[in-house]
């Protein structure tokens, strides 16, 4: 058992509240944040205790915009954040352009204090940039796994929904952060509380570390065409050093003609054309998400030369690679708006028998949530 897990269990015995910070990056995904925070709120509500407290954090403490355009006023900045037990980076769109050197330095300082670090959606990219995932297994949203692995070869990227490796916890986006947080709550306070939270969220199955992300194509094909899925999996795993079509057919125990018929029937294209689309899609990710040169991207995606790559890209994507990259740079502009934070109801606070109705300027979200839930029928329904 790691020293971090031992300290968590000691905190649970002493009744110490676990403090979780959420670093919000520009264009973070709201669903990833909500999926991570709400299990903590429900853990408090069902236990009737302040098991967890959570804080939203931005670099300067100013309002920050999610990818859906909603502005969030964080509880604090990286300069006045309270003492934390864990910090989770919440990423989203354009991750490579959504962080600062100050945030990278701050994460490194937290690592030196042996605080557990995590990332959701594309948030693991920032941990990798800080060198904090070197030698660790890591999960991230499937859209950014390719660029993350190319940019940080010391990180062991996986296609699992989430990964907890020693003092790091990373996961893909969407609703998956809820599964990762339920895993953490189960580790801290046991199965009964986790099961009750799942029931409240009408979650009939809590996914675990052994579950994989489902890429769109496999989701469409399901299990009806295992040979086709197997062939595509081999293509995806061999982008830089491509496999000849005859060799690919032999690997999946089909003739070349049989393989071509499968691709034409279900994907309306030849295997070679689909393979080219995969390589160009990977190249587009690298153009948008990394600073790799055109020739480096061409090599990483299996093209014999940069002119050949540029020609294929222009024919199939519609613009040359250089225009794709310059167009991304030209389109970066964000307009900040401000939102007035919610006021804390001190009267309700006193009704919960807290020693003081004063709330720190850094809003204690867990206390507010408990106050709001006091008259719910599920309040304090799980005994710990």
């Amino acid at each position: 058992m790691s020293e971090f897990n031992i300290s968590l269990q000691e905190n649970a015995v002493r009744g110490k509240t676990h403090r979780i910070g959420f670093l919000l990056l520009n264009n973070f995904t709201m669903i990833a944040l909500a999926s991570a925070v709400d299990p903590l709120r429900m853990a408090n509500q069902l236990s009737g205790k302040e098991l967890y407290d959570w804080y939203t954090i931005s670099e300067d403490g100013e309002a920050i915009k999610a990818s859906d355009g909603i502005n969030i006023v964080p509880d604090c900045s990286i300069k006045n954040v309270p003492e934390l037990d864990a910090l989770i980076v919440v990423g989203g769109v354009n991750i490579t352009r959504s962080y600062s050197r100050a945030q990278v330095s701050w994460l490194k300082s937290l690592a030196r204090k042996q605080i557990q670090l995590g990332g959701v959606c594309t948030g693991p990219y920032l941990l990798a940039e800080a060198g904090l995932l070197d030698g660790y297994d890591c999960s991230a949203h499937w859209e950014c796994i390719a660029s993350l692995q190319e940019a940080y070869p010391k990180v062991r990227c996986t296609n699992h929904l989430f990964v907890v490796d020693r003092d790091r916890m990373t996961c893909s986006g969407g609703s998956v952060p809820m599964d990762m947080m339920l895993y953490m709550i189960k580790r801290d306070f046991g199965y009964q509380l986790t099961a009750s939270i799942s029931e409240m969220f009408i979650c009939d199955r809590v996914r675990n570390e052994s579950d994989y992300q489902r890429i769109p194509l496999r989701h469409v094909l399901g299990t009806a065409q295992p040979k086709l899925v197997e062939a595509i999996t081999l293509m995806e795993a061999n982008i830089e050093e491509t496999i000849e079509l005859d060799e690919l057919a032999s690997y999946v125990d089909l003739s070349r003609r049989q393989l071509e018929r499968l691709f034409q029937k279900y994907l309306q294209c030849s295997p070679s054309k689909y393979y080219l689309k995969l390589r160009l899609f990977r190249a587009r990710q690298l153009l948008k998400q990394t600073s790799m040169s055109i020739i480096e991207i061409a090599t990483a995606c299996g093209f014999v030369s940069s002119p050949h790559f540029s020609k294929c890209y222009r024919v199939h994507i519609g613009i040359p690679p250089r225009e794709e990259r310059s167009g991304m740079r030209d389109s970066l502009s964000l307009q900040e708006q401000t939102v007035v934070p919610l006021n804390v109801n001190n009267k309700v606070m006193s009704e919960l028998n807290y020693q003081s109705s004063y709330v720190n300027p850094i809003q204690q979200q867990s206390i507010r949530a408990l106050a709001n839930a006091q008259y719910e029928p599920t309040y304090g329904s799980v005994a710990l």
Side-chain angles (χ1 to χ4, degrees):
M1 183 180 294
S2 70
E3 292 182 3
F4 178 80
N5 288 338
I6 292 172
S7 67
L8 278 180
Q9 290 187 355
E10 290 174 348
N11 289 342
V13 171
R14 292 196 303 266
K16 179 180 180 294
T17 299
H18 298 175
R19 293 184 170 186
I20 314 294
F22 293 92
L23 176 61
L24 308 182
L25 304 183
N26 287 325
N27 290 312
F28 72 93
T29 50
M30 187 71 75
I31 188 173
L33 175 64
S35 297
V37 170
D38 265 12
L40 305 180
R41 174 187 67 83
M42 190 55 66
N44 290 357
Q45 179 171 327
L46 292 176
S47 67
K49 301 177 182 179
E50 194 184 356
L51 304 179
Y52 296 97
D53 198 8
W54 55 91
Y55 307 87
T56 51
I57 307 162
S58 70
E59 180 177 350
D60 54 8
E62 297 297 320
I64 190 163
K65 184 175 290 186
S67 58
D68 57 11
I70 296 176
N71 278 316
I72 295 294
V73 174
D75 300 311
C76 53
S77 72
I78 62 176
K79 294 181 179 180
N80 67 347
V81 65
E83 182 180 348
L84 298 174
D85 296 300
L87 185 283
I88 296 174
V89 181
V90 186
V93 179
N94 290 333
I95 182 61
T96 60
R97 300 173 177 86
S98 300
Y99 63 85
S100 68
R101 301 317 304 175
Q103 291 169 330
V104 171
S105 298
W106 183 61
L107 288 173
K108 289 180 179 179
S109 71
L110 294 182
R112 288 192 292 270
K113 297 176 183 177
Q114 298 185 327
I115 291 172
Q116 184 177 35
L117 298 174
V120 299
C121 195
T122 59
Y125 196 101
L126 181 53
L127 295 177
E129 169 66 21
L132 302 176
L133 289 179
D134 290 354
Y136 283 87
D137 290 338
C138 163
S139 174
H141 193 283
W142 60 266
E143 261 196 328
C144 97
I145 286 180
S147 57
L148 195 157
Q149 189 69 86
E150 286 285 348
Y152 310 103
K154 293 182 180 179
V155 180
R156 299 194 296 262
C157 292
T158 76
N159 200 35
H160 289 276
L161 287 176
F162 68 91
V163 173
V164 179
D165 185 357
R166 291 161 285 170
D167 54 353
R168 302 287 185 268
M169 50 194 299
T170 54
C171 77
S172 54
S175 63
V176 175
M178 182 171 71
D179 298 281
M180 185 175 76
M181 301 309 280
L182 288 173
Y183 175 95
M184 182 188 74
I185 294 168
K186 179 181 177 182
R187 178 193 65 193
D188 295 348
F189 297 104
Y191 173 77
Q192 183 183 1
L193 180 57
T194 301
S196 298
I197 295 170
S198 301
E199 290 176 358
M200 287 298 297
F201 290 154
I202 318 177
C203 176
D204 57 354
R205 175 176 177 261
V206 179
R207 297 167 291 187
N208 58 44
E209 288 182 285
S210 63
D211 286 309
Y212 288 88
Q213 297 183 56
R214 301 182 72 181
I215 63 172
L217 179 64
R218 292 182 185 178
H219 181 69
V220 172
L221 294 177
T223 59
Q225 296 300 323
K227 294 292 185 182
L228 183 57
V229 170
E230 186 180 354
I232 291 168
T233 301
L234 285 169
M235 289 179 174
E236 292 170 341
N238 293 273
I239 295 293
E240 184 170 352
E241 297 182 8
T242 58
I243 306 175
E244 295 294 331
L245 185 55
D246 288 332
E247 188 178 8
L248 180 65
S250 67
Y251 281 147
V252 298
D253 198 25
L254 293 174
S255 69
R256 175 170 176 153
R257 184 177 293 274
Q258 287 174 318
L259 187 62
E260 288 175 336
R261 281 202 293 262
L262 276 178
F263 271 86
Q264 286 292 346
K265 181 176 181 179
Y266 292 98
L267 299 173
Q268 293 76 51
C269 67
S270 66
S272 57
K273 187 173 183 179
Y274 187 86
Y275 208 168
L276 177 60
K277 287 180 178 179
L278 278 180
R279 292 156 58 207
L280 290 172
F281 177 71
R282 175 72 60 83
R284 194 174 196 186
Q285 286 181 310
L286 297 178
L287 281 168
K288 290 183 173 184
Q289 300 175 6
T290 74
S291 58
M292 295 171 65
S293 67
I294 300 296
I295 191 168
E296 287 174 329
I297 293 175
T299 301
C301 296
F303 292 92
V304 295
S305 66
S306 55
H308 178 230
F309 165 59
S310 297
K311 180 180 179 181
C312 291
Y313 200 93
R314 184 171 58 253
V315 169
H316 292 276
I317 305 298
I319 58 174
R322 295 188 186 279
E323 285 188 21
E324 181 82 85
R325 174 161 282 173
S326 62
M328 283 295 297
R329 292 186 184 128
D330 295 341
S331 66
L332 298 175
S333 63
L334 293 174
Q335 295 181 348
E336 297 294 336
Q337 300 178 10
T338 57
V339 174
V340 179
L342 295 173
N343 293 321
V344 177
N345 188 325
N346 288 335
K347 183 178 180 181
V348 174
M349 291 284 298
S350 62
E351 290 175 353
L352 280 174
N353 297 320
Y354 281 88
Q355 293 180 353
S356 172
S357 62
Y358 173 75
V359 177
N360 190 290
I362 298 175
Q363 300 172 18
Q364 289 185 268
Q365 306 284 17
S366 59
I367 295 177
R368 295 172 57 203
L370 275 171
N372 291 335
Q374 182 181 13
Y375 301 107
E376 290 287 336
T378 55
Y379 178 75
S381 61
V382 175
L384 293 179

